[in-house]
Amino acid sequence: MDTLPTDPLVAFRDVRKIYRMDAVQVAALDGVSFTVHAGELIAITGPSGSGKSTLMHLLGCLDRPTTGALMLEGRDISRASQNELARLRNQRIGFVFQSFNLLPRFNVLQNIELPLTYAGNDHHTRRRKAMAMVALVGLTDRAHHLPQQLSGGQRQRAAIARALVNDPAIILADEPTGNLDTKTGEQILRLFEELHGQGRTILIVTHDHDIAARTQRRIALRDGLIVEDTGTARSAFSVHRS
Amino acid sequence: MGLLQGIIVGFKEILAHKLRSLLTMLGVILGVAALSTMFAFVEGMFSGWKQAIEEQGGIEKLSVDNNQIPEAQLPFQHMTRKRRRADATAVMLSVAGVSAVSPEVMLREDAFVEYRGKRQWCELVGATDGIVPIGNHVLAEGRFISDMDRKTGARVVVLGSTVAAELFGARAPALLRRVYIKGVPFRVIGVMHNYELSGMGGGHFMQWKNRFTFVPLETAIKRLGTGEDLSSLNFEVKDSARLAKVAEAIRNTLFFLNRRIINYSVRTNEEMLDRFSEISGAFSISLGIIAGISLLVGGIGIMNIMLASINERIREIGIRKAIGARERDIMIQVLVEAVVLSLVGGLLGVCMSLFLTQTIGAIISATFSKPIVRVGPLVFSFCVSVVIGIAFGLYPAFKAAKLDPIEALRYE
Ligand SMILES: Nc1ncnc2c1ncn2[C@@H]1O[C@H](COP(=O)(O)OP(=O)(O)OP(=O)(O)O)[C@@H](O)[C@H]1O
Ligand SMILES: [Mg+2]
C-alpha cells in the first residue's frame, strides 16, 4: 500500500472545554480525542448542546481548550497567543457559518477580499484572488451585489468563497445548510463535495442524517464525548484513496 | 487592513449619519475655534503692545520717572528734589554702557504754537538731541536741535507734523518761519515725520506723537519758564544684555546723589514687555481653559458615539475577528474613525476661527489691536483635535478589540 498515513493535520488529545458560570460548571467537551488527516470530509453530528459548535470553535482558533492538546499541522494551538490565533484563523482556517455572517455593507467581492486584506495583500492581488473565488462558487454576475440582494444559497456560496480565499488547511462548516431549504442545502453540500474532490479537508456539523450518511466519516457527539467515529483516520483515509 | 481603507470607512460612517456626526463634532469644532481664535487675539494684542513700546524707544530704553517717596522716608520729603540736568551728567560720567541720554522738560500749561493768529496745541518738550534715538523720533525736514542751540539758548523749534500742517497748510514750506510760543518768537528749523501717514502703526498713540514739538532744553528752562526739574530722564542702552546691570548702576548713582531718598523709579521697557507677556499669558490660560473644557466635551461626545457605533457593530467585529483580524486591526479601525471625526471637527473649527477673526477684526475700531492669524497656532489647534480623537477613541477601540469573537458572533 502506498498510502501510509502522513502526520495528521489535526489531532485532539483529551480536549476539555469547561464553561464556568458562577458555581455551575458545564463541560461542553469532556475529553475528546481524534485525528483528522488531510483530504478528509467529516460529518459531525449529535443532539443540540452536545458540543459540536464548541469543537468547531476550538478547531477554528476562536477559542482555547480548558485542558488537553489541540494540534494543528503539528503545532499545539492551545498555547498560541491571540495574535497567532488570529493569523491561523486568517491563513489556515476557513469558517462557514449557519447564518453566513457576511458584512452587510460590503458587496460580495469586498466580503471575499476581507481575509486577503487582513493577510496584507495589495489591492490587485486581492481583486485577482477574490474574482477567482467568485468564479469558483459561480457568483461572477453577482460579484458587486450586497448580501441582502442575494438568496440564502448565494450568500452561503459567497461565504464559502470567503472561507477559501486564503487557501486554508481546513474548512469548518457549522450547520452550513441550517438556514437553507432542502434543495439549496443540497447544492451547497455538492459544492463541499466538489471541494473535497479537489483535495480539501472539510468538517461539516449537521443535524441532517442524509448528509451525514454521504460522508465517508462521521463523528457523533453526545454530552461532550465522542460516542461514534465511523472509521479511524486510517480507514477513512484508505476509503478515500480506494 | 490599510490605513487608507480605514480612513475611507471612517468618512463613510460620518456621511451615513450626517446630523449625528455634526452634533458629535460640535464640541471639537467649538473647542478648536475657540483655541485658534484666542491665539489670534492674544497675538494681536501682544504685537500691538510691542509696537507701542517700540515707538517709545524699544527695549533699549531706560527711564527714570518721578515717584512717590516710600512711607518710611516721608519725614524727609521737604529735602527732596526732582531730577535735574546735573543728574543726567552724573550718570553719563559714572555709569558705563549708556549710549545716549535724554533729559526732558515739558511745558505743562499754554503749550501752543502760534502763527499769524492761528494756534495749535502741542506736546512741547525741552529736549536735547538724545531724544531722537531714545524716543524713536524721526525728522522729516530741516535739522534737529544741536548742542550749539542749547549753549546759546537759541529760540529755535522743531514742529510736530500735525502742528506744522495745521499752521502752514500741508504743502507750504515750514522752515525758517517765525512762530510764537508763550509770546516768545521761535524760528522753525525742522519738522518731524508724519507717523500716521507712513503706516508705522495706527491709533491714538500716533496722533499724539505727531504733535510732539521740540525746543532746546536750556531755552525751555530760560525762556518758557518750565523750571529746572526734569519731567523725565531717559537713557539708551544699546547692549540689551547689560540692561539690568546698567539700571542697577543708575539706581545706585541716583540713590547717592539724591541723599538716599527714593522719589524716583528706574524702569526698563523690558519690564513693561514682561508685564504684557504676563497679562497675555493670563489671557491665554483662562481662554485656554475654556477651549480645553469645550474640547473635553467634544472628546466625550466622540467617545460616546464610538461606543454606540461599536455596539451596533459587535457582530461585524466578531466576523472580522473570525476571518483573521487581529486585536490591533480592530483597534486601528475604531481609532481611525474617531480620529476622522475629530479631524473633520478640527478642520471645521479652524475654518470657523478664520471666519471669526476676519469678521471681528473688520468690526473692531482701529484703536484696538486687530487679531493676527498665524499658521503655527492653527496647526497646533488642529493637532489638538487629532490628539483628542486618539485619546477619546482609545477606550472604545480597546473595548472593541477585546471583544470575544464567539460571543460577538452570537450577538443579535
Ligand atoms: N459561552 C458559554 N457559556 C456557558 N455555556 C456554554 C457556552 N457556550 C456553550 N455552552 C454550553 O456548552 C454546551 C455545548 O454547546 P454547543 O454550542 O457546542 O452545542 P451544539 O452541539 O453546537 O448545539 P446546537 O446543535 O444546538 O448548536 C451547551 O450545553 C452549552 O450550553
Ligand atoms: Mg451549534
Side-chain angles (χ1 to χ4, degrees):
Chain A
M1 227 185 186
D2 64 338
T3 53
L4 269 174
T6 47
D7 281 341
L9 185 64
V10 173
F12 275 64
R13 290 201 198 114
D14 199 25
V15 168
R16 259 167 244 271
K17 180 69 190 180
I18 292 159
Y19 290 108
R20 285 191 183 78
M21 301 175 71
D22 300 326
V24 192
Q25 287 195 2
V26 179
L29 288 181
D30 202 7
V32 168
S33 300
F34 69 100
T35 55
V36 178
H37 283 265
E40 282 193 284
L41 171 65
I42 304 173
I44 313 260
T45 60
S48 185
S50 55
K52 305 182 295 292
S53 294
T54 305
L55 188 147
M56 295 298 251
H57 290 155
L58 291 181
L59 184 48
C61 300
L62 287 166
D63 209 348
R64 278 184 283 215
T66 312
T67 62
L70 205 173
M71 314 295 287
L72 177 65
E73 297 183 310
R75 278 191 59 205
D76 188 357
I77 60 171
S78 56
R79 274 180 246 290
S81 71
Q82 287 294 345
N83 266 347
E84 285 169 320
L85 288 180
R87 203 189 60 80
L88 287 170
R89 290 198 291 269
N90 185 239
Q91 305 280 316
R92 308 313 295 154
I93 307 289
F95 226 112
V96 178
F97 303 90
Q98 179 176 355
S99 51
F100 323 127
N101 279 339
L102 297 168
L103 293 189
R105 278 175 302 179
F106 284 31
N107 68 27
V108 169
L109 207 56
Q110 289 167 330
N111 264 290
I112 296 171
E113 278 184 19
L114 212 52
L116 294 165
T117 310
Y118 287 124
N121 288 284
D122 64 62
H123 178 77
H124 291 289
T125 318
R126 292 204 305 258
R127 258 303 120 94
R128 188 170 47 76
K129 288 190 176 174
M131 277 317 278
M133 282 303 135
V134 167
L136 184 78
V137 298
L139 282 178
T140 308
D141 53 340
R142 294 275 189 268
H144 296 282
H145 287 215
L146 291 175
Q148 71 206 34
Q149 297 166 324
L150 300 177
S151 72
Q154 287 167 334
R155 288 185 209 182
Q156 197 59 299
R157 281 168 193 278
I160 291 169
R162 184 180 63 186
L164 287 171
V165 76
N166 265 335
D167 192 22
I170 189 163
I171 294 166
L172 305 173
D174 194 348
E175 301 192 48
T177 59
N179 281 13
L180 304 172
D181 59 55
T182 326
K183 195 165 150 261
T184 325
E186 177 62 27
Q187 285 169 357
I188 293 298
L189 208 67
R190 286 240 188 81
L191 182 55
F192 278 120
E193 280 173 340
E194 230 173 84
L195 293 170
H196 174 234
Q198 292 163 11
R200 299 254 174 208
T201 313
I202 304 173
L203 268 74
I204 303 178
V205 170
T206 182
H207 282 298
D208 191 328
H209 290 288
D210 292 345
I211 296 174
R214 277 160 60 174
T215 58
Q216 309 125 330
R217 185 178 170 193
R218 194 163 61 92
I219 296 175
L221 288 176
R222 176 164 298 172
D223 297 333
L225 287 167
I226 294 181
V227 289
E228 186 191 10
D229 187 349
T230 65
T232 60
R234 184 183 292 269
S235 65
F237 196 73
S238 49
V239 167
H240 174 58
R241 289 297 170 107
S242 61
Chain B
M1 181 86 172
L3 197 64
L4 186 71
Q5 207 183 345
I7 291 170
I8 293 168
V9 171
F11 268 108
K12 275 188 185 159
E13 283 299 317
I14 289 174
L15 290 177
H17 319 272
K18 288 191 193 69
L19 184 66
R20 187 177 89 174
S21 306
L22 188 71
L23 290 176
T24 309
M25 287 185 289
L26 211 58
V28 175
I29 294 174
L30 291 180
V32 168
L35 200 64
S36 38
T37 309
M38 169 208 86
F39 272 127
F41 272 91
V42 171
E43 183 78 37
M45 203 160 69
F46 193 58
S47 79
W49 287 335
K50 244 161 83 179
Q51 198 184 20
I53 286 177
E54 208 58 53
E55 288 305 325
Q56 293 175 51
I59 59 163
E60 294 134 23
K61 185 173 154 186
L62 254 169
S63 26
V64 180
D65 297 319
N66 296 319
N67 227 357
Q68 198 70 38
I69 70 171
E71 213 179 319
Q73 294 188 336
L74 274 179
F76 317 118
Q77 192 159 28
H78 63 281
M79 299 165 72
T80 62
R81 57 172 184 80
K82 300 242 166 88
R83 256 50 55 211
R84 302 252 168 119
R85 275 172 294 165
D87 292 310
T89 315
V91 167
M92 290 307 279
L93 288 174
S94 62
V95 179
V98 178
S99 47
V101 60
S102 172
E104 298 159 27
V105 294
M106 286 210 80
L107 187 61
R108 304 263 175 215
E109 279 144 40
D110 299 326
F112 293 100
V113 183
E114 289 168 304
Y115 177 73
R116 290 190 185 161
K118 285 190 236 172
R119 254 158 80 96
Q120 279 298 312
W121 72 268
C122 63
E123 286 295 323
L124 193 99
V125 186
T128 67
D129 58 357
I131 200 170
V132 175
I134 290 176
N136 245 1
H137 294 287
V138 181
L139 191 70
E141 50 179 317
R143 63 173 182 88
F144 203 76
I145 293 153
S146 68
D147 282 350
M148 188 58 82
D149 293 330
R150 290 179 53 198
K151 278 206 185 92
T152 57
R155 287 165 295 160
V156 292
V157 63
V158 180
L159 295 175
S161 63
T162 305
V163 178
E166 294 287 338
L167 288 179
F168 315 122
R171 281 193 178 70
L175 295 186
L176 298 178
R177 285 186 201 265
R178 185 194 294 267
V179 295
Y180 289 86
I181 300 166
K182 286 182 89 173
V184 181
F186 279 83
R187 179 83 57 204
V188 177
I189 56 165
V191 176
M192 299 309 289
H193 186 74
N194 186 337
Y195 302 101
E196 224 171 339
L197 282 187
S198 69
M200 284 174 75
H204 291 324
F205 185 75
M206 287 308 175
Q207 288 173 19
W208 181 53
K209 196 170 175 179
N210 277 335
R211 287 192 177 267
F212 268 71
T213 294
F214 306 96
V215 298
L217 180 63
E218 281 71 13
T219 313
I221 293 167
K222 281 185 211 146
R223 304 269 181 178
L224 299 177
T226 55
E228 295 263 348
D229 290 343
L230 300 180
S231 58
S232 54
L233 173 58
N234 297 316
F235 300 95
E236 183 194 59
V237 181
K238 270 266 148 52
D239 182 5
S240 61
R242 297 184 61 182
L243 207 60
K245 269 192 189 148
V246 173
E248 196 49 39
I250 291 175
R251 260 182 218 113
N252 277 320
T253 307
L254 294 178
F255 190 54
F256 171 76
L257 292 174
N258 210 33
R259 292 191 256 173
R260 301 181 190 177
I261 297 170
I262 311 167
N263 62 343
Y264 55 86
S265 66
V266 180
R267 169 177 74 76
T268 64
N269 272 348
E270 201 175 33
E271 287 162 15
M272 208 140 93
L273 206 64
D274 284 349
R275 209 161 318 139
F276 286 161
S277 299
E278 249 169 57
I279 294 171
S280 70
F283 256 103
S284 299
I285 288 171
S286 52
L287 286 170
I289 287 172
I290 296 171
I293 289 172
S294 170
L295 282 170
L296 190 76
V297 171
I300 291 170
I302 285 179
M303 183 154 92
N304 195 26
I305 276 300
M306 289 323 293
L307 284 174
S309 153
I310 62 165
N311 225 30
E312 275 170 20
R313 289 187 291 168
I314 286 183
R315 203 181 167 88
E316 175 191 324
I317 292 163
I319 296 170
R320 285 179 182 274
K321 286 197 137 190
I323 60 173
R326 291 164 297 177
E327 291 183 357
R328 216 185 76 187
D329 297 317
I330 302 291
M331 207 147 164
I332 287 175
Q333 187 190 340
V334 178
L335 264 186
V336 161
E337 259 187 65
V339 170
V340 166
L341 266 177
S342 58
L343 213 102
V344 173
L347 268 180
L348 290 177
V350 166
C351 293
M352 188 167 160
S353 122
L354 286 177
F355 174 77
L356 277 178
T357 44
Q358 283 288 317
T359 39
I360 297 177
I363 291 167
I364 62 175
S365 72
T367 45
F368 281 95
S369 309
K370 290 203 181 287
I372 295 174
V373 178
R374 285 199 200 286
V375 178
L378 280 188
V379 172
F380 173 77
S381 319
F382 184 68
C383 291
V384 166
S385 75
V386 177
V387 170
I388 287 275
I390 293 175
F392 285 89
L394 266 177
Y395 173 66
F398 185 76
K399 216 181 141 185
K402 285 290 174 196
L403 279 177
D404 179 58
I406 297 171
E407 268 162 39
L409 280 170
R410 214 178 270 147
Y411 189 85
E412 289 304 324

